[in-house]
Amino acid sequence: KAGVTQTPRYLIKTRGQQVTLSCSPISGHRSVSWYQQTPGQGLQFLFEYFSETQRNKGNFPGRFSGRQFSNSRSEMNVSTLELGDSALYLCASSPGQLLTNTEAFFGQGTRLTVV
Amino acid sequence: EDQVTQSPEALRLQEGESSSLNCSYTVSGLRGLFWYRQDPGKGPEFLFTLYSAGEEKEKERLKATLTKKESFLHITAPKPEDSATYLCAVQANSNYQLIWGAGTKLIIKP
C-alpha cells in the first residue's frame, strides 16, 4: 500500500513569491492535515480537510490556504512568502477526521526555503 | 492555554540502558495523547494513542503510560535503531487539532 506522497521534496523561493505544495494521501483516506515544522516552534497545525471541506484551522495568517479535491488529494498554498515561512511542511492522512482520534500517517514533507 | 512540554530535550544512552521520556501537558479536557517517532528527513511515525489516566500500551521495547498530567515513554534495553526524536501531542475536547511538544532526541550508542 503506497504511503503519503508529498511533492516537491525541496523548494527554494524568493520573498514575496507564492508557492503550492501537493499531498496525495493513502488510498481510502479522506482526511488530510497540514503541519509546519521548524526548529524553534516544533510542529504546528495548519488545517485539516475532510471530504473537500476545511474542518479545522490553526493560528496561521490568511496567506496560508489549502484545498482538497474529490480524490482526497490536497494542495497547500502560501502567498507573499516571508523568510519566516522557511520550514518543513508535513502532510498527514487519516481514514477519518481528527475528531475521531484516528492514527495519522505522515509524508516525508516538503522542505521550503525562502531567500 | 493548552500546552505540551517534553523532557529531556536530548538523551544519550548506551545500548541496553533503559530509561524514560516525559511528556507533561496542560489541556482543558484531554481527548487523546499521541506518541510519534521521527527519524531525520522523514515525517513522524505513529506509535501510540492513550485516552485515559492509567492506560498503558506497549510495542516492542516501548511502553507508554498516562496520568492526569503527564505521559511517560519507557524504553527497555534500547538498540541503536531506536535512535530518533520522540514527539508527544495532545488533542483537547474543545479543539480537535493536535498540540505538539518540542520532542526528545534519543541517541543510543552501541
Side-chain angles (χ1 to χ4, degrees):
Chain A
K1 195 173 189 181
V4 178
T5 304
Q6 290 189 247
T7 56
R9 288 292 312 280
Y10 303 93
L11 208 48
I12 299 175
K13 288 286 188 179
T14 304
R15 246 182 328 177
Q17 287 186 313
Q18 68 133 23
V19 66
T20 299
L21 312 181
S22 179
C23 173
S24 293
I26 292 171
S27 177
H29 285 194
R30 295 168 62 195
S31 169
V32 173
S33 300
W34 288 90
Y35 296 86
Q36 182 193 68
Q37 187 174 34
T38 59
Q41 298 293 322
L43 264 159
Q44 292 184 284
F45 174 80
L46 281 156
F47 29 67
E48 180 202 9
Y49 285 87
F50 181 83
S51 294
E52 302 179 64
T53 303
Q54 189 180 91
R55 303 290 178 149
N56 217 333
K57 190 177 190 312
N59 296 324
F60 278 81
R63 300 186 295 108
F64 292 82
S65 63
R67 59 177 175 169
Q68 187 179 35
F69 302 95
S70 58
N71 62 357
S72 293
R73 190 178 72 83
S74 177
E75 287 182 348
M76 190 192 93
N77 185 274
V78 187
S79 62
T80 320
L81 283 166
E82 300 176 0
L83 295 178
D85 297 331
S86 295
L88 180 66
Y89 289 88
L90 291 161
C91 157
S93 81
S94 304
Q97 287 183 252
L98 286 179
L99 62 84
T100 60
N101 293 121
T102 52
E103 174 183 343
F105 295 83
F106 283 82
Q108 293 202 350
T110 294
R111 172 74 62 185
L112 172 65
T113 302
V114 182
V115 296
Chain B
E1 183 186 349
D2 299 335
Q3 199 169 337
V4 178
T5 303
Q6 290 188 248
S7 61
E9 285 186 22
L11 182 61
R12 295 174 189 269
L13 300 171
Q14 287 295 135
E15 184 174 359
E17 182 184 359
S18 302
S19 188
S20 297
L21 313 182
N22 178 264
C23 172
S24 299
Y25 63 91
T26 304
V27 66
S28 50
L30 180 71
R31 187 175 180 85
L33 184 142
F34 303 78
W35 281 99
Y36 280 81
R37 165 196 171 125
Q38 186 173 24
D39 293 297
K42 295 189 175 181
E45 177 187 346
F46 174 80
L47 293 173
F48 306 108
T49 307
L50 302 167
Y51 297 102
S52 57
E55 188 174 2
E56 298 182 353
K57 287 194 176 173
E58 286 188 68
K59 180 180 180 179
E60 295 180 0
R61 294 177 292 283
L62 298 175
K63 179 180 176 181
T65 61
L66 181 64
T67 72
K68 289 188 176 179
K69 292 187 176 182
E70 57 192 349
S71 176
F72 291 94
L73 184 65
H74 307 276
I75 181 159
T76 303
K79 298 181 178 181
E81 54 261 41
D82 295 322
S83 297
T85 295
Y86 290 84
L87 299 165
C88 168
V90 299
Q91 187 180 45
N93 282 324
S94 58
N95 187 335
Y96 301 129
Q97 59 183 271
L98 293 179
I99 302 161
W100 296 80
T104 293
K105 185 173 183 178
L106 179 64
I107 299 169
I108 309 298
K109 302 177 190 175

